[in-house]
PDB file of all heavy atoms in Angstrom:
ATOM      1  N   LYS A 131      91.784 127.032 117.057  1.00 87.00           N
ATOM      2  CA  LYS A 131      92.945 126.185 117.353  1.00 87.00           C
ATOM      3  C   LYS A 131      93.389 125.443 116.096  1.00 87.00           C
ATOM      4  O   LYS A 131      94.575 125.289 115.845  1.00 87.00           O
ATOM      5  CB  LYS A 131      92.602 125.171 118.444  1.00 87.00           C
ATOM      6  CG  LYS A 131      92.271 125.799 119.765  1.00 87.00           C
ATOM      7  CD  LYS A 131      93.473 125.802 120.655  1.00 87.00           C
ATOM      8  CE  LYS A 131      93.074 126.214 122.055  1.00 87.00           C
ATOM      9  NZ  LYS A 131      94.213 126.250 122.941  1.00 87.00           N
ATOM     10  N   LEU A 132      92.421 124.977 115.305  1.00 87.00           N
ATOM     11  CA  LEU A 132      92.767 124.278 114.058  1.00 87.00           C
ATOM     12  C   LEU A 132      93.518 125.212 113.116  1.00 87.00           C
ATOM     13  O   LEU A 132      94.443 124.793 112.423  1.00 87.00           O
ATOM     14  CB  LEU A 132      91.509 123.742 113.370  1.00 87.00           C
ATOM     15  CG  LEU A 132      90.839 122.561 114.052  1.00 87.00           C
ATOM     16  CD1 LEU A 132      89.565 122.173 113.301  1.00 87.00           C
ATOM     17  CD2 LEU A 132      91.770 121.373 114.162  1.00 87.00           C
ATOM     18  N   LYS A 133      93.133 126.493 113.115  1.00 90.00           N
ATOM     19  CA  LYS A 133      93.828 127.456 112.255  1.00 90.00           C
ATOM     20  C   LYS A 133      95.291 127.600 112.660  1.00 90.00           C
ATOM     21  O   LYS A 133      96.152 127.851 111.820  1.00 90.00           O
ATOM     22  CB  LYS A 133      93.113 128.805 112.296  1.00 90.00           C
ATOM     23  CG  LYS A 133      91.808 128.766 111.532  1.00 90.00           C
ATOM     24  CD  LYS A 133      91.161 130.134 111.412  1.00 90.00           C
ATOM     25  CE  LYS A 133      89.965 130.047 110.477  1.00 90.00           C
ATOM     26  NZ  LYS A 133      88.850 130.855 110.907  1.00 90.00           N
ATOM     27  N   LEU A 134      95.581 127.431 113.954  1.00 91.00           N
ATOM     28  CA  LEU A 134      96.969 127.515 114.413  1.00 91.00           C
ATOM     29  C   LEU A 134      97.827 126.425 113.769  1.00 91.00           C
ATOM     30  O   LEU A 134      99.023 126.622 113.549  1.00 91.00           O
ATOM     31  CB  LEU A 134      97.047 127.382 115.943  1.00 91.00           C
ATOM     32  CG  LEU A 134      96.410 128.492 116.761  1.00 91.00           C
ATOM     33  CD1 LEU A 134      96.462 128.151 118.249  1.00 91.00           C
ATOM     34  CD2 LEU A 134      97.086 129.828 116.497  1.00 91.00           C
ATOM     35  N   LEU A 135      97.212 125.280 113.468  1.00 92.00           N
ATOM     36  CA  LEU A 135      97.963 124.193 112.818  1.00 92.00           C
ATOM     37  C   LEU A 135      98.533 124.669 111.486  1.00 92.00           C
ATOM     38  O   LEU A 135      99.676 124.368 111.151  1.00 92.00           O
ATOM     39  CB  LEU A 135      97.062 122.970 112.587  1.00 92.00           C
ATOM     40  CG  LEU A 135      96.583 122.226 113.832  1.00 92.00           C
ATOM     41  CD1 LEU A 135      95.566 121.164 113.449  1.00 92.00           C
ATOM     42  CD2 LEU A 135      97.743 121.598 114.582  1.00 92.00           C
ATOM     43  N   GLY A 136      97.734 125.426 110.742  1.00 92.00           N
ATOM     44  CA  GLY A 136      98.179 125.916 109.450  1.00 92.00           C
ATOM     45  C   GLY A 136      99.269 126.967 109.547  1.00 92.00           C
ATOM     46  O   GLY A 136      99.971 127.226 108.571  1.00 92.00           O
ATOM     47  N   GLU A 137      99.405 127.556 110.731  1.00 94.00           N
ATOM     48  CA  GLU A 137     100.393 128.626 110.910  1.00 94.00           C
ATOM     49  C   GLU A 137     101.693 128.117 111.530  1.00 94.00           C
ATOM     50  O   GLU A 137     102.648 128.866 111.680  1.00 94.00           O
ATOM     51  CB  GLU A 137      99.801 129.727 111.809  1.00 94.00           C
ATOM     52  CG  GLU A 137      98.600 130.410 111.176  1.00 94.00           C
ATOM     53  CD  GLU A 137      97.774 131.191 112.186  1.00 94.00           C
ATOM     54  OE1 GLU A 137      98.215 131.355 113.347  1.00 94.00           O
ATOM     55  OE2 GLU A 137      96.670 131.628 111.811  1.00 94.00           O
ATOM     56  N   SER A 138     101.739 126.835 111.883  1.00 94.00           N
ATOM     57  CA  SER A 138     102.906 126.299 112.588  1.00 94.00           C
ATOM     58  C   SER A 138     104.037 125.951 111.624  1.00 94.00           C
ATOM     59  O   SER A 138     103.890 125.093 110.755  1.00 94.00           O
ATOM     60  CB  SER A 138     102.507 125.046 113.368  1.00 94.00           C
ATOM     61  OG  SER A 138     103.667 124.342 113.779  1.00 94.00           O
ATOM     62  N   GLU A 139     105.175 126.616 111.822  1.00 95.00           N
ATOM     63  CA  GLU A 139     106.359 126.313 111.002  1.00 95.00           C
ATOM     64  C   GLU A 139     106.847 124.885 111.283  1.00 95.00           C
ATOM     65  O   GLU A 139     107.271 124.183 110.373  1.00 95.00           O
ATOM     66  CB  GLU A 139     107.490 127.306 111.296  1.00 95.00           C
ATOM     67  CG  GLU A 139     107.223 128.707 110.784  1.00 95.00           C
ATOM     68  CD  GLU A 139     107.008 128.765 109.266  1.00 95.00           C
ATOM     69  OE1 GLU A 139     107.692 128.026 108.532  1.00 95.00           O
ATOM     70  OE2 GLU A 139     106.153 129.540 108.824  1.00 95.00           O
ATOM     71  N   GLU A 140     106.799 124.486 112.557  1.00 95.00           N
ATOM     72  CA  GLU A 140     107.268 123.140 112.924  1.00 95.00           C
ATOM     73  C   GLU A 140     106.444 122.081 112.194  1.00 95.00           C
ATOM     74  O   GLU A 140     106.981 121.133 111.624  1.00 95.00           O
ATOM     75  CB  GLU A 140     107.168 122.941 114.437  1.00 95.00           C
ATOM     76  CG  GLU A 140     107.701 121.582 114.886  1.00 95.00           C
ATOM     77  CD  GLU A 140     107.457 121.278 116.361  1.00 95.00           C
ATOM     78  OE1 GLU A 140     106.812 122.091 117.059  1.00 95.00           O
ATOM     79  OE2 GLU A 140     107.899 120.203 116.807  1.00 95.00           O
ATOM     80  N   LEU A 141     105.125 122.266 112.208  1.00 96.00           N
ATOM     81  CA  LEU A 141     104.240 121.303 111.554  1.00 96.00           C
ATOM     82  C   LEU A 141     104.477 121.285 110.044  1.00 96.00           C
ATOM     83  O   LEU A 141     104.546 120.223 109.426  1.00 96.00           O
ATOM     84  CB  LEU A 141     102.778 121.634 111.867  1.00 96.00           C
ATOM     85  CG  LEU A 141     101.748 120.574 111.472  1.00 96.00           C
ATOM     86  CD1 LEU A 141     102.075 119.227 112.097  1.00 96.00           C
ATOM     87  CD2 LEU A 141     100.363 121.022 111.882  1.00 96.00           C
ATOM     88  N   ARG A 142     104.638 122.469 109.460  1.00 95.00           N
ATOM     89  CA  ARG A 142     104.930 122.535 108.020  1.00 95.00           C
ATOM     90  C   ARG A 142     106.212 121.798 107.692  1.00 95.00           C
ATOM     91  O   ARG A 142     106.312 121.127 106.668  1.00 95.00           O
ATOM     92  CB  ARG A 142     105.048 123.984 107.562  1.00 95.00           C
ATOM     93  CG  ARG A 142     103.716 124.656 107.441  1.00 95.00           C
ATOM     94  CD  ARG A 142     103.888 126.040 106.914  1.00 95.00           C
ATOM     95  NE  ARG A 142     102.596 126.703 106.865  1.00 95.00           N
ATOM     96  CZ  ARG A 142     102.434 127.928 106.431  1.00 95.00           C
ATOM     97  NH1 ARG A 142     103.463 128.631 106.018  1.00 95.00           N
ATOM     98  NH2 ARG A 142     101.237 128.468 106.411  1.00 95.00           N
ATOM     99  N   GLY A 143     107.206 121.951 108.562  1.00 96.00           N
ATOM    100  CA  GLY A 143     108.480 121.261 108.353  1.00 96.00           C
ATOM    101  C   GLY A 143     108.291 119.750 108.338  1.00 96.00           C
ATOM    102  O   GLY A 143     108.820 119.047 107.468  1.00 96.00           O
ATOM    103  N   LEU A 144     107.514 119.248 109.296  1.00 96.00           N
ATOM    104  CA  LEU A 144     107.251 117.798 109.349  1.00 96.00           C
ATOM    105  C   LEU A 144     106.531 117.325 108.088  1.00 96.00           C
ATOM    106  O   LEU A 144     106.809 116.259 107.557  1.00 96.00           O
ATOM    107  CB  LEU A 144     106.396 117.456 110.572  1.00 96.00           C
ATOM    108  CG  LEU A 144     107.072 117.555 111.941  1.00 96.00           C
ATOM    109  CD1 LEU A 144     106.046 117.316 113.046  1.00 96.00           C
ATOM    110  CD2 LEU A 144     108.209 116.558 112.052  1.00 96.00           C
ATOM    111  N   LEU A 145     105.604 118.151 107.613  1.00 96.00           N
ATOM    112  CA  LEU A 145     104.790 117.754 106.451  1.00 96.00           C
ATOM    113  C   LEU A 145     105.578 117.786 105.140  1.00 96.00           C
ATOM    114  O   LEU A 145     105.080 117.325 104.112  1.00 96.00           O
ATOM    115  CB  LEU A 145     103.544 118.629 106.350  1.00 96.00           C
ATOM    116  CG  LEU A 145     102.497 118.340 107.430  1.00 96.00           C
ATOM    117  CD1 LEU A 145     101.422 119.411 107.437  1.00 96.00           C
ATOM    118  CD2 LEU A 145     101.886 116.967 107.254  1.00 96.00           C
ATOM    119  N   LEU A 146     106.793 118.280 105.168  1.00 97.00           N
ATOM    120  CA  LEU A 146     107.648 118.205 103.977  1.00 97.00           C
ATOM    121  C   LEU A 146     108.139 116.777 103.755  1.00 97.00           C
ATOM    122  O   LEU A 146     108.585 116.428 102.665  1.00 97.00           O
ATOM    123  CB  LEU A 146     108.854 119.144 104.119  1.00 97.00           C
ATOM    124  CG  LEU A 146     108.532 120.641 104.088  1.00 97.00           C
ATOM    125  CD1 LEU A 146     109.774 121.455 104.398  1.00 97.00           C
ATOM    126  CD2 LEU A 146     107.944 121.038 102.736  1.00 97.00           C
ATOM    127  N   ASN A 147     108.049 115.950 104.792  1.00 97.00           N
ATOM    128  CA  ASN A 147     108.527 114.567 104.699  1.00 97.00           C
ATOM    129  C   ASN A 147     107.558 113.720 103.851  1.00 97.00           C
ATOM    130  O   ASN A 147     106.395 113.545 104.227  1.00 97.00           O
ATOM    131  CB  ASN A 147     108.638 113.989 106.111  1.00 97.00           C
ATOM    132  CG  ASN A 147     109.217 112.595 106.122  1.00 97.00           C
ATOM    133  OD1 ASN A 147     108.839 111.734 105.336  1.00 97.00           O
ATOM    134  ND2 ASN A 147     110.133 112.364 107.041  1.00 97.00           N
ATOM    135  N   PRO A 148     108.026 113.182 102.715  1.00 97.00           N
ATOM    136  CA  PRO A 148     107.125 112.417 101.833  1.00 97.00           C
ATOM    137  C   PRO A 148     106.570 111.157 102.512  1.00 97.00           C
ATOM    138  O   PRO A 148     105.441 110.745 102.229  1.00 97.00           O
ATOM    139  CB  PRO A 148     107.991 112.050 100.627  1.00 97.00           C
ATOM    140  CG  PRO A 148     109.385 112.451 100.952  1.00 97.00           C
ATOM    141  CD  PRO A 148     109.379 113.311 102.186  1.00 97.00           C
ATOM    142  N   HIS A 149     107.342 110.558 103.419  1.00 96.00           N
ATOM    143  CA  HIS A 149     106.877 109.360 104.115  1.00 96.00           C
ATOM    144  C   HIS A 149     105.673 109.689 105.003  1.00 96.00           C
ATOM    145  O   HIS A 149     104.666 108.971 105.007  1.00 96.00           O
ATOM    146  CB  HIS A 149     108.012 108.755 104.933  1.00 96.00           C
ATOM    147  CG  HIS A 149     107.652 107.492 105.658  1.00 96.00           C
ATOM    148  ND1 HIS A 149     107.132 106.383 105.013  1.00 96.00           N
ATOM    149  CD2 HIS A 149     107.719 107.167 106.974  1.00 96.00           C
ATOM    150  CE1 HIS A 149     106.900 105.429 105.912  1.00 96.00           C
ATOM    151  NE2 HIS A 149     107.239 105.888 107.106  1.00 96.00           N
TER     152      HIS A 149
END
Side-chain angles (χ1 to χ4, degrees):
K131 296 263 190 181
L132 289 177
K133 287 187 172 142
L134 295 175
L135 293 173
E137 296 163 9
S138 166
E139 290 301 322
E140 183 187 3
L141 191 56
R142 284 183 183 181
L144 289 174
L145 288 169
L146 291 173
N147 184 314
H149 182 55

